[in-house]
Amino acid sequence: MIGSSLEKQDDNDHMAYWLSNTSALLFLLQSSLKSSAAVQKPPAPTSFFSRMTQSFRSSSANLAVGVVRQVEAKYPALLFKQQLTAYVEKIYGIIRDNLKKDLSLLLSCCIQVPRASKGTAFKTFEESEEVDSSPACHWQRIIESLNKHLSTLKENFVPPTLIQKIFIQIFAYINTQLFNSFLVRRECCTFSNGQYVKYGLAELELWCAQVTEEYAGSSWGELKHTRQAVAFLVLQEKSSITYNEITNELCPVLSVQQLYRICALFRDDSNNAPSVSPDVISSMKHLLSDGSADDGGSTFLLEDDISFPFSVEDIIGSMRVKEFAKVKPAAELTENPAFQFLLQD
């Protein structure tokens, strides 16, 4: 049944429903099973199902205070837990990738300031007379997309810790797309484009504050590369800044290779001001040529994170048994004589 649910991968509402249920079931299963280290004696000569039933009968009254009696698991239960964990990871990945897909087209409009706005004062969403044609409206659509997906996850009761992980990876994806555009596209590495992206960053920061850390987590911190690159692009009088000021104060996260690319590609399309001084460029070239700049790899581009940044313990630690204490049992269970203990006080 869970496997067949993956056929509707494009429906994030459907996927969120199953992420909520599989993670909740995984939590309850994990909470009911003893770890191998906790086993102090051989298992009793009863079937696994009998021991599970006995455990729930004896502990049903304790669920209200968040206590579950643990049982020793045999292979079928451990196999099911392993399969359930795999489903949680797969469904999580589907939701994350669907959100990336939705944002991809929107981000393509946010990477470079629209042509009509170049050389003119940048207008915010509220200041523009024609809202739909305002450069800022592209960033507003990003915010609307984030809000829509957050509402879907919350309405399906996806655990906050998983919502956090999703948006942290989504912001890392935004960071990768924006930052890499500065490094490979000369038309993006300009003063006016820096202002355009700076406005968008302010909108994203506001969004993180509004949804609170419970759901945003450390998402804002994932944009550090783009934030520091933008700080350089919009900086006035770049020719007067020193190499140490750039690397230690303005852009400490960026590698020498990344800084060199931005400095070399930068063009002030607003005031026609020069980039950094020749001495700064020379210092960067020297570090790159003699190999003293440890950039942690041969490429200067950021890579998208497609990992699963959570463990079963993360899910278990974020949920509590008492959250399920007042949940009404499903009719299919209460009508089955084997589950009459669910109705006991």
Side-chain angles (χ1 to χ4, degrees):
M1 181 179 66
I2 298 174
S4 64
S5 70
L6 302 184
E7 296 175 1
K8 298 181 180 180
Q9 295 190 8
D10 292 334
D11 187 346
N12 253 14
D13 184 58
H14 180 74
M15 289 292 102
Y17 169 85
W18 280 106
L19 180 60
S20 175
N21 280 280
T22 52
S23 60
L25 182 57
L26 179 61
F27 164 74
L28 291 173
L29 181 63
Q30 174 73 5
S31 301
S32 301
L33 301 180
K34 287 182 179 179
S35 64
S36 57
V39 178
Q40 300 295 329
K41 58 182 180 180
T46 57
S47 69
F48 173 74
F49 179 78
S50 297
R51 286 186 280 112
M52 286 290 289
T53 303
Q54 181 181 7
S55 172
F56 277 115
R57 281 176 178 161
S58 61
S59 62
S60 59
N62 292 329
L63 281 173
V65 294
V67 177
V68 172
R69 171 169 292 187
Q70 294 183 324
V71 296
E72 297 164 9
K74 288 188 177 180
Y75 177 74
L78 297 176
L79 177 61
F80 179 62
K81 175 189 169 186
Q82 185 180 30
Q83 294 171 330
L84 194 57
T85 302
Y87 274 125
V88 170
E89 291 182 348
K90 185 172 182 63
I91 296 171
Y92 169 94
I94 291 172
I95 293 175
R96 177 198 61 199
D97 292 344
N98 282 346
L99 183 47
K100 285 182 180 180
K101 190 185 304 180
D102 289 349
L103 290 175
S104 179
L105 182 59
L106 297 175
L107 278 174
S108 65
C109 298
C110 297
I111 287 176
Q112 185 180 4
V113 63
R115 289 179 179 274
S117 301
K118 288 184 177 181
T120 62
F122 179 74
K123 293 183 178 181
T124 65
F125 187 71
E126 294 79 5
E127 293 171 339
S128 177
E129 296 178 359
E130 298 180 8
V131 172
D132 290 338
S133 63
S134 166
C137 76
H138 298 303
W139 284 106
Q140 292 300 323
R141 293 191 182 108
I142 294 281
I143 300 301
E144 290 170 3
S145 179
L146 294 175
N147 284 330
K148 180 188 72 173
H149 286 284
L150 175 59
S151 295
T152 298
L153 295 170
K154 291 171 66 175
E155 288 167 3
N156 284 281
F157 302 99
V158 174
T161 185
L162 291 183
I163 296 179
Q164 270 192 20
K165 300 296 184 182
I166 288 173
F167 283 110
I168 287 173
Q169 286 195 301
I170 290 303
F171 271 63
Y173 171 74
I174 294 174
N175 180 64
T176 297
Q177 298 302 307
L178 294 176
F179 182 73
N180 285 350
S181 70
F182 295 142
L183 302 181
V184 298
R185 296 173 57 182
R186 181 180 294 274
E187 66 272 18
C188 293
C189 205
T190 64
F191 180 85
S192 61
N193 202 58
Q195 288 184 310
Y196 181 49
V197 177
K198 182 180 179 181
Y199 169 81
L201 291 176
E203 292 296 301
L204 293 174
E205 183 179 19
L206 179 61
W207 183 85
C208 289
Q210 290 176 338
V211 303
T212 71
E213 186 178 353
E214 181 181 11
Y215 298 111
S218 60
S219 296
W220 174 242
E222 296 298 321
L223 298 172
K224 55 183 177 292
H225 290 83
T226 301
R227 286 158 51 191
Q228 292 186 11
V230 166
F232 172 81
L233 294 180
V234 301
L235 179 69
Q236 301 287 347
E237 300 181 358
K238 294 180 179 62
S239 59
S240 64
I241 192 171
T242 66
Y243 172 77
N244 287 333
E245 288 174 333
I246 294 177
T247 56
N248 297 328
E249 300 175 17
L250 190 64
C251 306
V253 172
L254 307 191
S255 69
V256 175
Q257 205 172 8
Q258 291 166 342
L259 285 171
Y260 176 75
R261 289 285 300 184
I262 293 176
C263 291
L265 293 177
F266 173 76
R267 179 175 60 87
D268 191 336
D269 57 348
S270 179
N271 303 312
N272 201 30
S275 184
V276 295
S277 68
D279 289 341
V280 171
I281 294 294
S282 176
S283 297
M284 293 180 182
K285 282 184 176 180
H286 176 72
L287 289 172
L288 293 173
S289 61
D290 67 7
S292 59
D294 182 11
D295 289 343
S298 59
T299 179
F300 50 80
L301 298 177
L302 300 180
E303 295 183 357
D304 188 26
D305 180 13
I306 58 173
S307 66
F308 299 102
F310 61 87
S311 63
V312 175
E313 287 70 25
D314 291 329
I315 299 175
I316 303 306
S318 67
M319 303 173 75
R320 297 290 181 271
V321 177
K322 62 183 179 182
E323 295 177 8
F324 304 92
K326 296 182 180 180
V327 175
K328 185 178 180 180
E332 290 83 354
L333 294 182
T334 57
E335 292 170 1
N336 189 323
F339 290 91
Q340 287 302 306
F341 64 89
L342 290 172
L343 302 177
Q344 299 175 3
D345 294 331

Short mmCIF file of all heavy atoms in Angstrom, two decimals, residues 220-260:
data_model
loop_
_atom_site.label_atom_id
_atom_site.label_comp_id
_atom_site.label_asym_id
_atom_site.label_seq_id
_atom_site.Cartn_x
_atom_site.Cartn_y
_atom_site.Cartn_z
N TRP A 220 18.41 30.23 6.58
CA TRP A 220 19.03 31.50 6.21
C TRP A 220 20.54 31.36 6.10
O TRP A 220 21.18 31.95 5.24
CB TRP A 220 18.64 32.58 7.22
CG TRP A 220 19.34 33.90 7.01
CD1 TRP A 220 20.18 34.54 7.86
CD2 TRP A 220 19.24 34.77 5.86
NE1 TRP A 220 20.62 35.73 7.33
CE2 TRP A 220 20.06 35.89 6.10
CE3 TRP A 220 18.55 34.68 4.65
CZ2 TRP A 220 20.20 36.92 5.19
CZ3 TRP A 220 18.69 35.72 3.73
CH2 TRP A 220 19.50 36.83 4.01
N GLY A 221 21.14 30.57 6.97
CA GLY A 221 22.58 30.37 6.94
C GLY A 221 23.07 29.66 5.70
O GLY A 221 24.26 29.76 5.34
N GLU A 222 22.18 28.93 5.03
CA GLU A 222 22.58 28.21 3.81
C GLU A 222 22.86 29.14 2.64
O GLU A 222 23.42 28.74 1.63
CB GLU A 222 21.48 27.21 3.41
CG GLU A 222 21.25 26.10 4.41
CD GLU A 222 22.47 25.23 4.60
OE1 GLU A 222 23.15 24.94 3.59
OE2 GLU A 222 22.76 24.83 5.74
N LEU A 223 22.47 30.41 2.76
CA LEU A 223 22.66 31.37 1.68
C LEU A 223 23.95 32.18 1.82
O LEU A 223 24.13 33.20 1.16
CB LEU A 223 21.47 32.35 1.63
CG LEU A 223 20.10 31.73 1.34
CD1 LEU A 223 19.00 32.77 1.53
CD2 LEU A 223 20.06 31.15 -0.06
N LYS A 224 24.86 31.72 2.65
CA LYS A 224 26.04 32.53 3.00
C LYS A 224 26.91 32.86 1.79
O LYS A 224 27.46 33.96 1.71
CB LYS A 224 26.87 31.85 4.09
CG LYS A 224 27.30 30.44 3.80
CD LYS A 224 28.04 29.85 5.01
CE LYS A 224 28.45 28.41 4.78
NZ LYS A 224 27.26 27.49 4.72
N HIS A 225 27.07 31.92 0.86
CA HIS A 225 27.90 32.21 -0.31
C HIS A 225 27.29 33.34 -1.15
O HIS A 225 27.99 34.28 -1.55
CB HIS A 225 28.06 30.96 -1.18
CG HIS A 225 28.91 29.91 -0.57
ND1 HIS A 225 28.42 29.00 0.35
CD2 HIS A 225 30.24 29.61 -0.73
CE1 HIS A 225 29.39 28.20 0.72
NE2 HIS A 225 30.50 28.54 0.09
N THR A 226 26.00 33.23 -1.40
CA THR A 226 25.33 34.26 -2.20
C THR A 226 25.32 35.60 -1.48
O THR A 226 25.53 36.66 -2.08
CB THR A 226 23.89 33.83 -2.51
OG1 THR A 226 23.92 32.60 -3.24
CG2 THR A 226 23.16 34.89 -3.33
N ARG A 227 25.09 35.58 -0.18
CA ARG A 227 25.04 36.82 0.61
C ARG A 227 26.37 37.55 0.54
O ARG A 227 26.42 38.79 0.38
CB ARG A 227 24.67 36.50 2.06
CG ARG A 227 23.21 36.12 2.25
CD ARG A 227 22.98 35.32 3.51
NE ARG A 227 23.55 35.94 4.69
CZ ARG A 227 23.67 35.31 5.86
NH1 ARG A 227 23.27 34.06 6.00
NH2 ARG A 227 24.18 35.93 6.90
N GLN A 228 27.48 36.82 0.65
CA GLN A 228 28.79 37.46 0.64
C GLN A 228 29.16 37.93 -0.77
O GLN A 228 29.77 38.99 -0.94
CB GLN A 228 29.84 36.51 1.19
CG GLN A 228 29.65 36.23 2.68
CD GLN A 228 30.77 35.40 3.29
OE1 GLN A 228 31.81 35.18 2.68
NE2 GLN A 228 30.56 34.94 4.51
N ALA A 229 28.76 37.16 -1.78
CA ALA A 229 29.03 37.59 -3.15
C ALA A 229 28.26 38.87 -3.48
O ALA A 229 28.80 39.79 -4.11
CB ALA A 229 28.64 36.48 -4.13
N VAL A 230 27.00 38.95 -3.02
CA VAL A 230 26.19 40.14 -3.26
C VAL A 230 26.77 41.33 -2.51
O VAL A 230 26.78 42.46 -3.03
CB VAL A 230 24.73 39.88 -2.82
CG1 VAL A 230 23.94 41.18 -2.72
CG2 VAL A 230 24.05 38.93 -3.79
N ALA A 231 27.27 41.10 -1.30
CA ALA A 231 27.89 42.18 -0.54
C ALA A 231 29.06 42.79 -1.32
O ALA A 231 29.27 44.01 -1.29
CB ALA A 231 28.37 41.67 0.82
N PHE A 232 29.80 41.94 -2.04
CA PHE A 232 30.89 42.45 -2.87
C PHE A 232 30.36 43.21 -4.08
O PHE A 232 30.85 44.30 -4.42
CB PHE A 232 31.79 41.31 -3.34
CG PHE A 232 32.83 41.73 -4.33
CD1 PHE A 232 34.01 42.33 -3.92
CD2 PHE A 232 32.61 41.55 -5.70
CE1 PHE A 232 34.96 42.74 -4.85
CE2 PHE A 232 33.55 41.94 -6.63
CZ PHE A 232 34.73 42.55 -6.20
N LEU A 233 29.35 42.67 -4.75
CA LEU A 233 28.83 43.28 -5.97
C LEU A 233 28.28 44.69 -5.73
O LEU A 233 28.43 45.57 -6.59
CB LEU A 233 27.73 42.41 -6.59
CG LEU A 233 28.17 41.04 -7.12
CD1 LEU A 233 26.97 40.29 -7.69
CD2 LEU A 233 29.26 41.18 -8.18
N VAL A 234 27.64 44.90 -4.59
CA VAL A 234 27.02 46.21 -4.33
C VAL A 234 27.94 47.15 -3.56
O VAL A 234 27.57 48.28 -3.25
CB VAL A 234 25.69 46.04 -3.55
CG1 VAL A 234 24.71 45.19 -4.34
CG2 VAL A 234 25.92 45.44 -2.17
N LEU A 235 29.16 46.70 -3.26
CA LEU A 235 30.10 47.53 -2.52
C LEU A 235 30.57 48.71 -3.37
O LEU A 235 30.91 48.55 -4.54
CB LEU A 235 31.31 46.69 -2.10
CG LEU A 235 32.42 47.41 -1.33
CD1 LEU A 235 31.93 47.78 0.06
CD2 LEU A 235 33.66 46.52 -1.25
N GLN A 236 30.56 49.89 -2.77
CA GLN A 236 31.05 51.09 -3.46
C GLN A 236 32.58 51.15 -3.35
O GLN A 236 33.17 50.67 -2.38
CB GLN A 236 30.43 52.34 -2.83
CG GLN A 236 28.91 52.38 -2.88
CD GLN A 236 28.36 52.65 -4.26
OE1 GLN A 236 29.10 53.05 -5.17
NE2 GLN A 236 27.07 52.45 -4.46
N GLU A 237 33.22 51.73 -4.33
CA GLU A 237 34.66 51.95 -4.33
C GLU A 237 35.46 50.67 -4.06
O GLU A 237 36.26 50.57 -3.13
CB GLU A 237 35.03 53.02 -3.28
CG GLU A 237 34.38 54.37 -3.55
CD GLU A 237 34.77 55.42 -2.52
OE1 GLU A 237 35.53 55.08 -1.58
OE2 GLU A 237 34.34 56.58 -2.66
N LYS A 238 35.23 49.68 -4.88
CA LYS A 238 35.93 48.40 -4.74
C LYS A 238 37.44 48.55 -4.91
O LYS A 238 38.23 47.77 -4.38
CB LYS A 238 35.39 47.40 -5.76
CG LYS A 238 33.94 47.00 -5.54
CD LYS A 238 33.48 46.02 -6.60
CE LYS A 238 32.05 45.60 -6.38
NZ LYS A 238 31.10 46.75 -6.46
N SER A 239 37.86 49.54 -5.70
CA SER A 239 39.29 49.70 -5.98
C SER A 239 40.10 50.05 -4.75
O SER A 239 41.33 49.89 -4.74
CB SER A 239 39.49 50.78 -7.05
OG SER A 239 38.95 52.02 -6.62
N SER A 240 39.44 50.50 -3.68
CA SER A 240 40.17 50.91 -2.47
C SER A 240 40.25 49.81 -1.41
O SER A 240 40.93 49.97 -0.39
CB SER A 240 39.50 52.14 -1.86
OG SER A 240 38.18 51.84 -1.43
N ILE A 241 39.58 48.70 -1.64
CA ILE A 241 39.58 47.63 -0.65
C ILE A 241 40.79 46.72 -0.85
O ILE A 241 41.22 46.48 -1.98
CB ILE A 241 38.26 46.81 -0.74
CG1 ILE A 241 38.12 45.89 0.48
CG2 ILE A 241 38.20 45.99 -2.03
CD1 ILE A 241 36.77 45.22 0.57
N THR A 242 41.34 46.23 0.25
CA THR A 242 42.54 45.38 0.17
C THR A 242 42.16 43.90 0.10
O THR A 242 41.02 43.52 0.38
CB THR A 242 43.44 45.60 1.40
OG1 THR A 242 42.75 45.14 2.57
CG2 THR A 242 43.79 47.07 1.56
N TYR A 243 43.16 43.11 -0.23
CA TYR A 243 42.93 41.66 -0.31
C TYR A 243 42.51 41.09 1.04
O TYR A 243 41.57 40.29 1.14
CB TYR A 243 44.20 40.95 -0.80
CG TYR A 243 44.11 39.44 -0.72
CD1 TYR A 243 43.40 38.74 -1.68
CD2 TYR A 243 44.74 38.75 0.31
CE1 TYR A 243 43.31 37.35 -1.60
CE2 TYR A 243 44.64 37.37 0.40
CZ TYR A 243 43.92 36.67 -0.57
OH TYR A 243 43.83 35.31 -0.48
N ASN A 244 43.18 41.51 2.12
CA ASN A 244 42.86 41.01 3.45
C ASN A 244 41.45 41.41 3.88
O ASN A 244 40.75 40.64 4.56
CB ASN A 244 43.87 41.52 4.48
CG ASN A 244 45.22 40.83 4.35
OD1 ASN A 244 45.29 39.69 3.89
ND2 ASN A 244 46.29 41.50 4.76
N GLU A 245 41.02 42.60 3.51
CA GLU A 245 39.67 43.04 3.86
C GLU A 245 38.61 42.21 3.13
O GLU A 245 37.57 41.89 3.70
CB GLU A 245 39.51 44.53 3.50
CG GLU A 245 40.28 45.46 4.43
CD GLU A 245 40.23 46.91 3.97
OE1 GLU A 245 40.07 47.14 2.74
OE2 GLU A 245 40.36 47.81 4.82
N ILE A 246 38.93 41.84 1.90
CA ILE A 246 37.98 41.01 1.15
C ILE A 246 37.88 39.61 1.76
O ILE A 246 36.79 39.10 2.00
CB ILE A 246 38.39 40.90 -0.34
CG1 ILE A 246 38.29 42.27 -1.01
CG2 ILE A 246 37.51 39.89 -1.07
CD1 ILE A 246 38.76 42.25 -2.46
N THR A 247 39.02 39.00 2.00
CA THR A 247 39.04 37.60 2.45
C THR A 247 38.69 37.42 3.92
O THR A 247 38.16 36.38 4.31
CB THR A 247 40.42 36.98 2.20
OG1 THR A 247 41.43 37.78 2.86
CG2 THR A 247 40.71 36.92 0.71
N ASN A 248 38.98 38.41 4.75
CA ASN A 248 38.75 38.26 6.20
C ASN A 248 37.46 38.91 6.69
O ASN A 248 36.90 38.47 7.71
CB ASN A 248 39.93 38.84 6.99
CG ASN A 248 41.23 38.12 6.72
OD1 ASN A 248 41.23 36.91 6.46
ND2 ASN A 248 42.34 38.83 6.77
N GLU A 249 36.99 39.93 6.00
CA GLU A 249 35.83 40.68 6.49
C GLU A 249 34.62 40.58 5.56
O GLU A 249 33.51 40.28 6.00
CB GLU A 249 36.21 42.16 6.69
CG GLU A 249 37.33 42.37 7.69
CD GLU A 249 37.76 43.83 7.78
OE1 GLU A 249 36.99 44.70 7.32
OE2 GLU A 249 38.87 44.09 8.29
N LEU A 250 34.83 40.82 4.28
CA LEU A 250 33.71 40.89 3.36
C LEU A 250 33.23 39.52 2.89
O LEU A 250 32.04 39.23 2.90
CB LEU A 250 34.09 41.75 2.14
CG LEU A 250 32.95 42.12 1.19
CD1 LEU A 250 31.93 43.00 1.90
CD2 LEU A 250 33.50 42.85 -0.04
N CYS A 251 34.18 38.66 2.49
CA CYS A 251 33.81 37.35 1.91
C CYS A 251 34.66 36.22 2.51
O CYS A 251 35.35 35.51 1.77
CB CYS A 251 33.98 37.37 0.40
SG CYS A 251 33.11 38.71 -0.45
N PRO A 252 34.60 36.01 3.82
CA PRO A 252 35.47 34.99 4.43
C PRO A 252 35.12 33.55 4.04
O PRO A 252 35.97 32.67 4.14
CB PRO A 252 35.25 35.21 5.94
CG PRO A 252 33.89 35.85 6.04
CD PRO A 252 33.79 36.72 4.83
N VAL A 253 33.89 33.30 3.60
CA VAL A 253 33.49 31.94 3.26
C VAL A 253 33.97 31.54 1.87
O VAL A 253 34.22 30.37 1.59
CB VAL A 253 31.94 31.80 3.34
CG1 VAL A 253 31.49 30.45 2.80
CG2 VAL A 253 31.47 31.97 4.77
N LEU A 254 34.15 32.52 0.98
CA LEU A 254 34.50 32.22 -0.40
C LEU A 254 35.97 31.83 -0.54
O LEU A 254 36.84 32.37 0.15
CB LEU A 254 34.20 33.43 -1.30
CG LEU A 254 32.79 34.02 -1.21
CD1 LEU A 254 32.58 35.02 -2.33
CD2 LEU A 254 31.73 32.94 -1.26
N SER A 255 36.23 30.90 -1.43
CA SER A 255 37.61 30.48 -1.70
C SER A 255 38.30 31.53 -2.57
O SER A 255 37.66 32.38 -3.18
CB SER A 255 37.61 29.13 -2.40
OG SER A 255 37.09 29.27 -3.72
N VAL A 256 39.62 31.44 -2.64
CA VAL A 256 40.39 32.37 -3.48
C VAL A 256 39.97 32.24 -4.94
O VAL A 256 39.85 33.23 -5.67
CB VAL A 256 41.91 32.11 -3.32
CG1 VAL A 256 42.70 33.00 -4.28
CG2 VAL A 256 42.35 32.36 -1.88
N GLN A 257 39.74 31.00 -5.37
CA GLN A 257 39.33 30.75 -6.75
C GLN A 257 37.99 31.42 -7.05
O GLN A 257 37.80 32.02 -8.11
CB GLN A 257 39.24 29.24 -6.98
CG GLN A 257 39.42 28.83 -8.42
CD GLN A 257 39.52 27.33 -8.58
OE1 GLN A 257 39.31 26.59 -7.62
NE2 GLN A 257 39.85 26.87 -9.77
N GLN A 258 37.06 31.31 -6.10
CA GLN A 258 35.74 31.93 -6.28
C GLN A 258 35.83 33.45 -6.28
O GLN A 258 35.20 34.13 -7.10
CB GLN A 258 34.80 31.44 -5.18
CG GLN A 258 34.43 29.97 -5.30
CD GLN A 258 33.78 29.41 -4.06
OE1 GLN A 258 33.89 29.99 -2.97
NE2 GLN A 258 33.10 28.29 -4.19
N LEU A 259 36.64 33.99 -5.37
CA LEU A 259 36.82 35.44 -5.31
C LEU A 259 37.47 35.97 -6.59
O LEU A 259 37.07 37.03 -7.10
CB LEU A 259 37.68 35.80 -4.10
CG LEU A 259 37.01 35.72 -2.73
CD1 LEU A 259 38.04 35.91 -1.62
CD2 LEU A 259 35.93 36.79 -2.61
N TYR A 260 38.44 35.24 -7.09
CA TYR A 260 39.11 35.68 -8.31
C TYR A 260 38.14 35.74 -9.48
O TYR A 260 38.14 36.68 -10.28
CB TYR A 260 40.28 34.74 -8.64
CG TYR A 260 40.96 35.08 -9.94
CD1 TYR A 260 41.81 36.19 -10.03
CD2 TYR A 260 40.74 34.32 -11.09
CE1 TYR A 260 42.44 36.52 -11.23
CE2 TYR A 260 41.36 34.65 -12.28
CZ TYR A 260 42.20 35.75 -12.35
OH TYR A 260 42.81 36.07 -13.54
#
